[in-house]
Amino acid sequence: MAKTVPVIGVETAELRWIRMLISLLRHPDPSVPELARQALVYLTDAAGRREPAPPESLDHAG
């Protein structure tokens, strides 16, 4: 039987992506986990440089 651990902030729909990431990080070929790690670093850096979206106007009069 599989053991589960609840994680705050993870949506049910995101679980398949978490499982995929974990499988990549545990892959027996050492180049696969390293590539996954580098991709995560790249995405983290890119998300930090992204400009925030302008606030949505509450005026819907048109």
Side-chain angles (χ1 to χ4, degrees), residues 34-59:
E34 178 59 22
L35 184 60
R37 187 193 69 77
Q38 289 177 14
L40 287 172
V41 169
Y42 172 80
L43 290 173
T44 302
D45 290 345
R49 288 191 304 266
R50 195 175 79 187
E51 292 187 24
E56 194 173 309
S57 173
L58 297 177
D59 180 16

Side-chain angles (χ1 to χ4, degrees), residues 3-39:
K3 295 181 183 179
T4 60
V5 178
V7 179
I8 296 173
V10 176
E11 300 288 331
T12 305
E14 297 170 328
L15 288 176
R16 102 180 157 149
W17 297 108
I18 301 295
R19 287 185 181 113
M20 186 183 307
L21 176 61
I22 290 171
S23 69
L24 288 172
L25 293 172
R26 291 180 176 169
H27 197 279
D29 180 350
S31 61
V32 175
E34 178 59 22
L35 184 60
R37 187 193 69 77
Q38 289 177 14

